[in-house]
Amino acid sequence: MATHLSGGRINLAVWREVARRELLECLDKCVGSKAIVWDDHLTGPFGLIAEYSLLKEHEVDKMFPLRPGRLPISAGSGQGSMIIQNIIFLVRPRLDLMEIVADAIRRTEEAAGRFHMEFHIFFVPRKSLMCEKKLTELGVYGTLTTVGEYTLDLLPFDSDVLSMEMEQSFKECYLQNDLTTMFYVAKALMKIQALYGIIPKIYGKGTLSKHVADTILRLRREMAGNERQVQPQIDTLLLIDRTVDLLTPLATQLTYEGLIDEIYGIHNTNVKLPPEKFVRKNENEPQQELPTEPKKIILNSSDELFAVIRDKNFNAVGPELSRKAKILSAQYEERKDAKTVRDIKQFVTKLPHIQAAKASLATHTSIAELVKERTDLESFMDSLQTQQEFMNGVDTDKVNNYIEECIAKREPLIKVLRLLCMQSVTNNGFKPKIYDFYKREITQTYGFEHIVSLNNLEKIGLLKVQGQKTYNTIRKTLRLVVEDVNEQNPHDISYVYSGYAPLSVRLAQFLAKPGWRSIEEVLRLIPGPTVEETQQIPYGLLKKRTIGDSQSDNQKVTLVFFIGGVTYAEMAALRFLSNQDDGPMEYLIATTQVINGHNWLRSIMEDLVVPTFSEKEFGSTTGSRLR
């Protein structure tokens, strides 16, 4: 179950329980047997909220992915056929999906014949007038018995992490000027305040942070004091725009969890890995056939070993796995010392936990081996060295030999652009001559269609012509680069990137102690307005902190909301600050999406397909595509 969600200072199991209850209320509006038709993008998120057994208790008999054409549902004519009375569509409010919904309704109705079915649609997270209008134009709106919404705002990933998993939110806000997702962010934060109490202090940095803060204050004024009276559990809200710190997501994460995400991609706490590493080899048994399906592994703090190693620098993971193996070996040896019935009984009670720990150790040893295969590659080390040079401000003002070499070898464009953006950000842009050179090299090597993507990167500020040089001042003042970092036993957050401290987390660290007033000049160099607001708390709900409280009780709670995405390395850095003995803050993390450099840049790109002459001739759909 979701016991790992209740492990933090803020009990996120409560959040999950509310989300489950609201989902079941939606389903119970449809009386009788049900089939759910899922928008593909929602199946992973819903898996974090409710398992199939729970849905079955509420008469959900079938589940289908949303596809064009008739739904594969029996009309109930054959013996023993199950008659489905309700078809429920759970979809995002997107116009392209309405076409598929309408087609499915029409074809399924025709096939049902005289058997009556009711159709319902629930938009996640909000209803859309444009989508309702589209369904009307397609002639199926009148067929729908229910048109509702299921407000799944934030998904509980772990005891200290909530994510909206809105892949396009950054692009929509900064390239399309569509701030709808910022309203969703504000509504989600209002819901947090309804469950966990009003947050007295709001700080923020960036244009979108100000927009969200203003929206929260307006929504509270509209409620005119009709709010739930809950004692505040969160002391501070810190809103951080991704544009405040464009460098961090471009750098390669070097924590265990961060590298798994960089190499294989973690989706809704799940990762799919090559299966051959997880086949148990037994000398006495004939060799097994290798599985073809990827090995799916859940990564959260319910796995005790993963909770220990997830935030460690990858160089510290091997020694930790070795230490754990020795402990397990010693525990197994205890069985030889068990002489009495009582001793044997005690060992037997421990055995399931030891076996689970052994299985977890085997799994993470295999994952670490897979990751090490990649990190040992020369190309990985060369890329990492180039990144470290950029972050240190070394040779950022001239054409980089490694980037030029990658373009010449036609390395994946996403890799080239990631390095190029890093150089641009750390140099506050390129000299016109150098910028023109890079653009010419990319378009001539990868295709002219990528001009659109380069233009998108310009609009966001990842690529630009050189302006005022501020990076070096920010780097030195906030100690973003730390020499001789201790990766095994770190004393600073910079261990997550082996010497680079994420600017976003440094800002959180300075806010906690000694406060942003000590860095006002640097804050003026960082793009976007600075936000500082106070929300009044009813006198009777104010926290009473007594002298007898323990250190953990005196530690205040800050909710850090990353608008535009957060990396696993940034999460690790915030957890590191939370776990410090003298740390004044414990951090809860929320975001619009968990990102890495690859998927973040992909979300900004235009994935254009330009057919070649041979493809035109043979009718192939593959072409020059961003990889």
Side-chain angles (χ1 to χ4, degrees):
M1 291 299 289
T3 50
H4 64 287
L5 295 178
S6 54
R9 281 276 295 280
I10 305 301
N11 185 356
L12 294 186
V14 173
W15 182 273
R16 181 177 183 265
E17 199 50 49
V18 168
R20 282 159 73 93
R21 188 172 68 241
E22 289 174 353
L23 174 61
L24 297 178
E25 283 171 7
C26 289
L27 295 179
D28 291 343
K29 287 177 184 175
C30 315
V31 181
S33 58
K34 306 169 185 72
I36 293 179
V37 183
W38 299 98
D39 172 352
D40 277 344
H41 183 81
L42 297 177
T43 51
F46 271 85
L48 297 168
I49 299 298
E51 53 285 337
Y52 180 56
S53 57
L54 178 72
L55 300 179
K56 208 162 184 181
E57 288 171 19
H58 290 259
E59 298 184 276
V60 175
D61 298 316
K62 299 271 185 183
M63 294 200 292
F64 306 104
L66 181 62
R67 297 283 184 273
R70 184 175 76 83
L71 296 171
I73 295 172
S74 166
S77 53
Q79 190 176 358
S81 294
M82 184 182 293
I83 299 174
I84 300 293
Q85 296 163 285
N86 298 280
I87 310 291
I88 303 170
F89 294 92
L90 285 166
V91 294
R92 289 167 293 160
R94 289 182 47 163
L95 293 176
D96 56 327
L97 296 178
M98 296 308 102
E99 304 255 3
I100 304 173
V101 169
D103 187 52
I105 290 172
R106 281 194 296 264
R107 289 172 184 264
T108 306
E109 259 195 322
E110 287 167 10
R114 61 191 178 86
F115 290 98
H116 178 66
M117 284 183 187
E118 290 191 351
F119 295 91
H120 315 262
I121 189 166
F122 290 97
F123 292 102
V124 184
R126 296 278 186 275
K127 273 201 286 189
S128 159
L129 286 171
M130 293 290 288
C131 288
E132 290 184 64
K133 188 180 176 185
K134 184 72 174 174
L135 290 170
T136 305
E137 288 171 5
L138 293 165
V140 297
Y141 189 83
T143 311
L144 294 163
T145 307
T146 310
V147 178
E149 63 184 23
Y150 172 52
T151 54
L152 182 61
D153 298 302
L154 286 159
L155 299 163
F157 274 17
D158 221 315
S159 60
D160 58 351
V161 181
L162 293 158
S163 177
M164 300 180 85
E165 287 307 281
M166 292 187 160
E167 289 178 358
Q168 296 298 313
S169 62
F170 187 84
K171 185 175 184 176
E172 286 167 0
C173 292
Y174 283 101
L175 290 177
Q176 299 164 359
N177 294 317
D178 179 359
L179 298 181
T180 306
T181 51
M182 293 306 99
F183 179 71
Y184 296 161
V185 169
K187 290 291 280 185
L189 286 164
M190 289 295 288
K191 192 171 174 181
I192 284 174
Q193 294 190 116
L195 284 177
Y196 303 108
I198 299 301
I199 304 171
K201 286 282 186 183
I202 300 177
Y203 294 92
K205 184 65 184 166
T207 309
L208 295 182
S209 294
K210 176 142 181 48
H211 180 84
V212 170
D214 290 345
T215 306
I216 291 169
L217 296 173
R218 176 175 60 79
L219 290 170
R220 280 202 71 205
R221 283 196 300 272
E222 288 172 3
M223 292 182 81
N226 297 322
E227 295 166 301
R228 287 182 71 221
Q229 299 294 295
V230 181
Q231 188 176 26
Q233 296 178 46
I234 302 169
D235 299 277
T236 307
L237 168 63
L238 172 58
L239 300 163
I240 296 181
D241 274 31
R242 189 68 274 170
T243 50
V244 164
D245 178 13
L246 292 170
L247 179 59
T248 295
L250 294 170
T252 300
Q253 304 168 76
L254 296 175
T255 58
Y256 178 61
E257 187 173 22
L259 273 169
I260 294 171
D261 188 42
E262 291 277 357
I263 297 166
Y264 294 105
I266 301 172
H267 304 284
N268 303 301
T269 73
N270 289 282
V271 64
K272 290 180 179 177
L273 299 165
E276 56 272 11
K277 276 278 182 190
F278 300 90
V279 176
R280 290 186 181 179
K281 291 170 185 174
N282 194 325
E283 292 177 9
N284 301 324
E285 291 179 11
Q287 194 170 356
Q288 297 176 322
E289 280 188 35
L290 287 177
T292 52
E293 287 293 310
K295 174 78 172 175
K296 189 176 178 182
I297 294 167
I298 297 171
L299 298 173
N300 60 40
S301 58
S302 61
D303 179 340
E304 289 178 19
L305 179 58
F306 181 66
V308 171
I309 63 174
R310 69 190 304 177
D311 299 325
K312 287 186 179 294
N313 185 289
F314 187 66
N315 288 332
V317 171
E320 183 62 36
L321 292 175
S322 178
R323 191 182 71 82
K324 185 70 175 175
K326 286 173 186 172
I327 291 170
L328 282 175
S329 180
Q331 287 176 335
Y332 262 112
E333 289 302 309
E334 285 178 15
R335 74 188 190 280
K336 294 177 182 177
D337 300 327
K339 307 294 183 189
T340 66
V341 173
R342 186 182 174 187
D343 291 343
I344 293 167
K345 189 176 179 182
Q346 279 184 339
F347 178 76
V348 169
T349 55
K350 287 184 195 171
L351 197 56
H353 182 267
I354 294 171
Q355 287 173 331
K358 187 183 176 187
S360 174
L361 179 63
T363 295
H364 289 291
T365 301
S366 296
I367 295 173
E369 286 172 1
L370 285 168
V371 171
K372 197 169 187 319
E373 285 173 10
R374 293 290 190 93
T375 58
D376 283 347
L377 293 174
E378 190 180 344
S379 58
F380 180 89
M381 296 308 296
D382 288 345
S383 175
L384 198 60
Q385 186 182 337
T386 305
Q387 291 179 30
Q388 298 280 0
E389 286 171 2
F390 289 156
M391 290 187 284
N392 279 282
V394 176
D395 292 338
T396 55
D397 57 351
K398 56 187 182 183
V399 173
N400 182 270
N401 290 336
Y402 182 68
I403 294 178
E404 205 175 356
E405 186 184 313
C406 287
I407 295 171
K409 289 180 177 176
R410 285 188 62 90
E411 294 266 0
L413 178 59
I414 205 92
K415 176 184 176 179
V416 171
L417 290 175
R418 195 167 167 176
L419 290 168
L420 203 59
C421 290
M422 277 194 82
Q423 185 179 356
S424 175
V425 171
T426 53
N427 198 56
N428 295 106
F430 296 112
K431 291 174 184 172
K433 192 175 178 182
I434 292 172
Y435 191 24
D436 289 342
F437 170 79
Y438 276 137
K439 283 208 287 192
R440 187 169 62 252
E441 287 293 297
I442 285 169
T443 51
Q444 287 179 357
T445 306
Y446 295 96
F448 68 88
E449 66 273 18
H450 296 298
I451 281 284
V452 185
S453 293
L454 293 172
N455 189 41
N456 285 356
L457 295 171
E458 279 182 35
K459 285 180 185 175
I460 286 160
L462 283 164
L463 293 178
K464 62 181 182 181
V465 173
Q466 197 172 72
Q468 183 192 358
K469 283 208 158 196
T470 58
Y471 172 73
N472 285 334
T473 308
I474 295 167
R475 172 172 64 86
K476 288 169 186 172
T477 310
L478 299 182
R479 285 186 67 241
L480 297 186
V481 175
V482 178
E483 303 267 335
D484 304 320
V485 67
N486 188 333
E487 295 171 345
Q488 304 290 332
N489 297 297
H491 303 292
D492 184 79
I493 59 170
S494 56
Y495 82 93
V496 298
Y497 287 99
S498 291
Y500 167 74
L503 170 58
S504 55
V505 183
R506 266 295 187 247
L507 289 176
Q509 190 177 8
F510 270 92
L511 179 64
K513 188 179 177 181
W516 275 1
R517 292 215 167 106
S518 64
I519 55 165
E520 279 182 344
E521 287 185 21
V522 177
L523 285 173
R524 280 194 281 272
L525 297 177
I526 297 169
T530 303
V531 179
E532 184 175 348
E533 300 284 354
T534 302
Q535 298 195 96
Q536 292 301 316
I537 309 293
Y539 181 75
L541 295 176
L542 289 172
K543 274 188 181 179
K544 294 182 178 69
R545 299 185 188 279
T546 60
I547 296 168
D549 284 348
S550 67
Q551 168 67 28
S552 64
D553 289 332
N554 279 322
Q555 203 179 26
K556 293 185 176 182
V557 178
T558 292
L559 168 60
V560 185
F561 203 116
F562 290 84
I563 299 170
V566 65
T567 63
Y568 284 105
E570 286 170 302
M571 291 186 207
L574 285 169
R575 288 194 190 107
F576 176 82
L577 294 177
S578 293
N579 294 332
Q580 295 305 291
D581 292 336
D582 58 346
M585 285 289 175
E586 185 165 325
Y587 293 96
L588 176 66
I589 303 154
T591 183
T592 48
Q593 191 199 357
V594 180
I595 59 170
N596 57 51
H598 188 94
N599 63 27
W600 183 53
L601 283 184
R602 275 194 77 102
S603 73
I604 298 166
M605 302 306 187
E606 297 298 333
D607 196 7
L608 301 175
V609 179
V610 180
T612 62
F613 288 112
S614 59
E615 285 161 354
K616 286 176 185 174
E617 197 175 317
F618 294 106
S620 169
T621 56
T622 9
S624 174
R625 182 184 287 272
L626 176 74
R627 289 173 297 156

